[in-house]
């Protein structure tokens, strides 16, 4: 019994210590927002990598999800003669939940892993030490531009994902399920509220921040060797995905139940 | 002048530095030798502040490195890392001119590029290399680019961490000669870490041997062969038998 309690205690302490380390890392990274020098070129590159180059994967994820959602709602609604609600539920489902969460998870898979692997490799090959000896703070040069770029780019990606997802539902609805095109669009637009869109974009910003932060944190704290890089990459994606889902719950509570 | 007094550093139960006392005079080229894992790299990283010390003091020209303004302090140093540590995402010239493109030493882009090309020429690389990426270069070329980066801002103090590791004997000779020439030409203070005895003889004014976390022997390179220290003798002659255990 004591052993079990000790194991639980050790796990809780380790979790609290990890939360503390991440909180300190976050505070350190954000503190550089107010302390020049800044590296606009690094920020622009990160914006391009995270925002622009994620568009194809976000678009494909959103269009298939929107289409599948329309089919599911139609089939489910048919059980109680509510097939007509497809445009409204696709819109609300994509904008409030599926758009931000799926984009967040895709960013965790694509961007978090890439950031973690890149920074961890830089650490293993002494490039981080080299940055320091060249009078360049790694948090300013590597971490802040990526976190800032993800926080600004992911809401835009979520907005694009929402629109493409709704278009996926629209295509299935009009081409496959026989909805009138004009009526589908009118129902979609009329049903959405400003709060739905704002919540979607705020979630995007939060998920982008989490995704980049986890990539940077695990990259910077990677252990030596190929195994260290692999472990940092895996841990960053798992942590980012779990934190994104947890943040999604908290933000949904904050926007729609308080 | 670089001065280390009673410097200690441990990683958990591994006491890597156990009270290092060492002085490097201005303009002198010191080579630190010692077995693998003896703490040579840790030693130079403590001077740069990349690794914090547990106790003791490190001063450069009388100023405690832990209290020196960081940017101004690091601007005095150049370092060649063991694996080169070139930035994969930047072309060669931007690696060399890294310090000249940002921060307190920032120059116009064209001027920084010119300086980079001149430094590349100094280490025997032509301008055609400037726009290539590090991954497109051989190991020897990467070392030379790293050397060009280390000297680009004309630092007063240069550290070389295993400059010839992984290179063939001819390329090792080229790098050794370059280091000696550059250090003499720039009048820089240099600390080199190496296992390579040909490097030691080519580069060193003085030698320090690190063993069991302490400086075992320190003296001019001319006295190395007649030191009478059994540890140094075993190391420089590469003998398996002697006071240093072969299996560590």
């Amino acid at each position: 019994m004591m052993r079990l309690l000790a194991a639980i205690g050790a796990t809780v302490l380790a979790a609290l210590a990890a939360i503390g380390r991440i909180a300190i890392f976050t505070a350190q990274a954000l503190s550089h927002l107010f302390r020049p020098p800044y590296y606009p070129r690094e920020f622009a590159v990160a914006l391009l990598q995270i925002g622009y180059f994620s568009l194809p994967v976000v678009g494909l994820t959103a269009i298939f999800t929107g289409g599948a959602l329309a089919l599911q709602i139609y089939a489910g609604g048919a059980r109680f003669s509510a097939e007509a609600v497809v445009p409204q539920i696709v819109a609300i489902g994509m904008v409030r939940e599926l758009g931000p969460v799926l984009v967040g998870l895709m960013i965790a898979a694509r961007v978090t892993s890439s950031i973690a692997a890149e920074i961890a490799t830089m650490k293993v090959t002494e490039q981080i030490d080299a940055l320091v000896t060249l009078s360049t703070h790694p948090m300013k040069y590597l971490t802040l531009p990526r976190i800032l770029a993800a926080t600004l780019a992911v809401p835009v990606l979520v907005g694009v994902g929402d629109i493409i997802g709704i278009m996926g539902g629209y295509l299935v609805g009009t081409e496959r399920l026989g909805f009138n095109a004009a009526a589908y669009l009118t129902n979609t637009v009329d049903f959405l509220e400003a709060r739905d869109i704002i919540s979607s974009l705020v979630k995007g910003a939060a998920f982008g921040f989490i995704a980049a932060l986890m990539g940077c944190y695990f990259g910077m704290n990677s252990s030596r060797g190929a195994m260290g890089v692999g472990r940092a990459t895996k841990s960053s994606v798992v942590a980012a995905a779990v934190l994104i889902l947890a943040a999604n719950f908290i933000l949904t509570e904050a926007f729609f139940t308080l | 002048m670089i001065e280390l007094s009673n410097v200690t550093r441990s990683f958990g139960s591994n006491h890597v530095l156990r009270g290092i006392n060492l002085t490097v005079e201005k303009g002198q080229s010191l080579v630190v030798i010692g077995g693998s894992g003896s703490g040579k790299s840790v030693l130079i990283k403590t001077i740069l502040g990349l690794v914090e010390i547990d106790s003791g003091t490190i001063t450069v020209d009388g100023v405690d490195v832990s209290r020196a303004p960081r940017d101004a302090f690091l601007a005095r140093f150049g370092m060649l890392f063991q694996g080169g540590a070139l930035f994969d995402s930047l072309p060669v010239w931007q690696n060399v001119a890294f310090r000249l493109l940002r921060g307190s030493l920032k120059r116009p882009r064209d001027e920084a590029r010119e300086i980079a090309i001149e430094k590349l020429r100094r280490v025997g690389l032509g301008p055609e290399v400037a726009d290539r990426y590090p991954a497109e270069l051989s190991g020897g070329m990467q070392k030379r680019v790293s050397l060009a980066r280390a000297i680009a801002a004309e630092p007063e103090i240069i550290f070389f961490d295993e400059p010839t590791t992984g290179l063939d004997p001819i390329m090792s000779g080229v790098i050794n000669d370059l280091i000696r020439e550059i250090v003499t030409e720039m009048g820089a203070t240099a600390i080199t870490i190496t296992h390579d005895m040909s490097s030691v003889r080519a580069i060193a004014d003085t030698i320090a041997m690190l063993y069991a976390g302490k400086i075992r022997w320190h003296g001019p390179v001319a006295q190395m062969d007649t030191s009478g220290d059994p540890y140094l003798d075993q190391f420089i002659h590469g003998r398996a038998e002697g006071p240093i255990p072969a299996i560590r």
Side-chain angles (χ1 to χ4, degrees), chain A residues 115-184:
Chain A
I115 291 175
E118 185 184 1
I119 295 179
T121 305
M122 288 183 77
K123 189 176 180 200
V124 168
T125 55
E126 295 186 302
Q127 290 178 53
I128 305 275
D129 284 346
L131 273 179
V132 176
T133 64
L134 294 164
S135 309
T136 304
H137 200 300
M139 291 292 259
K140 276 189 202 301
Y141 185 76
L142 296 173
T143 302
L144 186 63
R146 284 164 173 77
I147 291 178
L148 211 54
T151 308
L152 295 175
V154 177
V156 178
L157 288 173
V158 167
V160 172
D162 290 347
I163 293 166
I164 294 175
I166 289 170
M167 287 312 294
Y170 167 85
L171 286 175
V172 170
T174 54
E175 302 300 322
R176 173 102 165 76
L177 305 175
F179 280 83
N180 174 275
Y184 191 104

Side-chain angles (χ1 to χ4, degrees), chain A residues 200-255:
Chain A
S200 191
L201 300 182
V202 169
K203 282 182 177 182
F207 299 166
F209 177 81
I210 290 168
L213 181 73
M214 288 300 104
C216 293
Y217 173 77
F218 283 97
M220 287 284 193
N221 290 286
S222 158
S223 52
R224 298 253 167 221
M227 193 181 271
V229 176
R231 194 177 294 136
T233 309
K234 178 190 72 183
S235 303
S236 69
V237 175
V238 171
V242 171
L243 286 176
I244 283 169
L245 294 173
N248 180 56
F249 173 74
I250 293 165
L251 287 170
T252 303
E253 275 277 343
F255 271 101

Side-chain angles (χ1 to χ4, degrees), chain A:
Chain A
M1 185 63 185
M2 286 305 285
R3 272 191 193 166
L4 179 68
L5 287 174
I8 294 169
T11 308
V12 170
L13 285 175
L16 290 174
I19 290 168
R21 282 194 297 272
I22 291 171
I24 290 168
F25 183 87
T26 308
Q28 281 175 345
L30 294 181
S31 74
H32 289 285
L33 261 176
F34 310 102
R35 289 186 289 159
Y38 303 111
Y39 296 102
R41 187 182 170 277
E42 299 310 311
F43 171 70
V45 170
L47 207 55
L48 199 68
Q49 291 285 347
I50 296 168
Y52 183 72
F53 290 120
S54 295
L55 275 171
V57 74
V58 164
L60 286 170
T61 307
I63 199 160
F64 289 126
T65 304
L69 190 60
L71 289 173
Q72 288 284 17
I73 293 163
Y74 188 83
R79 293 179 191 169
F80 46 94
S81 305
E83 299 96 323
V85 296
V86 168
Q88 293 91 331
I89 304 296
V90 166
I92 208 164
M94 280 309 299
V95 173
R96 283 188 177 191
E97 276 299 316
L98 287 172
V101 170
L102 287 176
V103 169
L105 293 176
M106 291 314 287
I107 291 296
R110 187 186 172 278
V111 174
T112 306
S113 59
S114 155
I115 291 175
E118 185 184 1
I119 295 179
T121 305
M122 288 183 77
K123 189 176 180 200
V124 168
T125 55
E126 295 186 302
Q127 290 178 53
I128 305 275
D129 284 346
L131 273 179
V132 176
T133 64
L134 294 164
S135 309
T136 304
H137 200 300
M139 291 292 259
K140 276 189 202 301
Y141 185 76
L142 296 173
T143 302
L144 186 63
R146 284 164 173 77
I147 291 178
L148 211 54
T151 308
L152 295 175
V154 177
V156 178
L157 288 173
V158 167
V160 172
D162 290 347
I163 293 166
I164 294 175
I166 289 170
M167 287 312 294
Y170 167 85
L171 286 175
V172 170
T174 54
E175 302 300 322
R176 173 102 165 76
L177 305 175
F179 280 83
N180 174 275
Y184 191 104
L185 289 178
T186 306
N187 282 337
T188 299
V189 173
D190 287 350
F191 198 71
L192 282 176
E193 294 175 3
R195 190 169 57 158
D196 301 327
I197 296 162
I198 291 168
S199 77
S200 191
L201 300 182
V202 169
K203 282 182 177 182
F207 299 166
F209 177 81
I210 290 168
L213 181 73
M214 288 300 104
C216 293
Y217 173 77
F218 283 97
M220 287 284 193
N221 290 286
S222 158
S223 52
R224 298 253 167 221
M227 193 181 271
V229 176
R231 194 177 294 136
T233 309
K234 178 190 72 183
S235 303
S236 69
V237 175
V238 171
V242 171
L243 286 176
I244 283 169
L245 294 173
N248 180 56
F249 173 74
I250 293 165
L251 287 170
T252 303
E253 275 277 343
F255 271 101
F256 299 107
T257 62
L258 292 180

Side-chain angles (χ1 to χ4, degrees), chain B residues 10-239:
Chain B
S10 300
F11 296 94
S13 59
N14 183 14
H15 306 296
V16 179
L17 306 179
R18 299 169 183 240
I20 298 286
N21 292 295
L22 188 64
T23 302
V24 191
E25 299 292 341
K26 196 174 173 66
Q28 192 178 65
S29 175
L30 169 78
V31 172
V32 181
I33 57 173
S36 301
S38 60
K40 303 184 295 298
S41 294
V42 174
L43 180 69
I44 55 171
K45 285 183 178 178
T46 59
I47 300 171
L48 287 165
L50 295 172
V51 173
E52 284 183 22
I53 57 173
D54 295 333
S55 65
T57 55
I58 302 173
T59 60
V60 175
D61 294 337
V63 179
D64 190 327
V65 300
S66 61
R67 291 184 192 147
R70 200 80 185 118
D71 277 0
F73 172 73
L74 288 169
R76 301 177 64 188
F77 286 85
M79 176 147 179
L80 185 153
F81 285 85
Q82 188 175 345
L86 297 172
F87 305 122
D88 309 319
S89 57
L90 300 177
V92 163
W93 82 266
Q94 287 187 29
N95 264 282
V96 175
F98 191 89
R99 208 174 221 160
L100 308 174
L101 290 167
R102 45 186 72 74
S104 57
L105 301 174
K106 190 172 178 177
R107 311 272 179 93
R109 206 170 166 82
D110 288 348
E111 191 186 330
R113 187 182 161 92
E114 268 179 41
I115 294 172
I117 289 173
E118 167 54 25
K119 296 298 175 189
L120 287 169
R121 188 202 58 74
R122 182 68 195 84
V123 298
L125 294 171
E128 70 280 1
V129 173
D131 293 312
R132 286 160 73 178
Y133 282 84
E136 298 172 298
L137 306 179
S138 68
M141 288 167 92
Q142 286 187 17
K143 273 268 158 79
R144 283 197 265 178
V145 172
S146 190
L147 183 55
R149 183 174 70 182
I151 61 169
E154 310 213 333
E156 298 163 48
I157 303 161
I158 315 179
F159 292 163
F160 303 100
D161 188 358
E162 310 259 9
T164 56
T165 298
L167 301 180
D168 65 64
I170 295 169
M171 188 51 68
S172 295
V174 169
I175 296 284
N176 288 337
D177 291 347
L178 273 173
I179 290 174
R180 182 75 252 185
E181 281 169 30
I182 286 165
V183 168
T184 309
E185 191 178 284
M186 291 171 60
T189 306
I191 300 182
T192 306
I193 285 170
T194 187
H195 294 117
D196 180 353
M197 292 316 294
S198 63
S199 291
V200 174
R201 294 178 197 281
I203 297 170
D205 294 326
T206 57
I207 290 166
M209 183 185 178
L210 192 60
Y211 179 73
K214 294 196 167 189
I215 299 297
R216 170 80 207 175
W217 188 85
H218 184 201
V221 65
Q223 292 174 15
M224 178 174 72
D225 294 312
T226 55
S227 69
D229 185 285
Y231 289 82
L232 182 64
D233 276 347
Q234 184 189 351
F235 190 86
I236 63 177
H237 293 111
R239 287 194 290 261

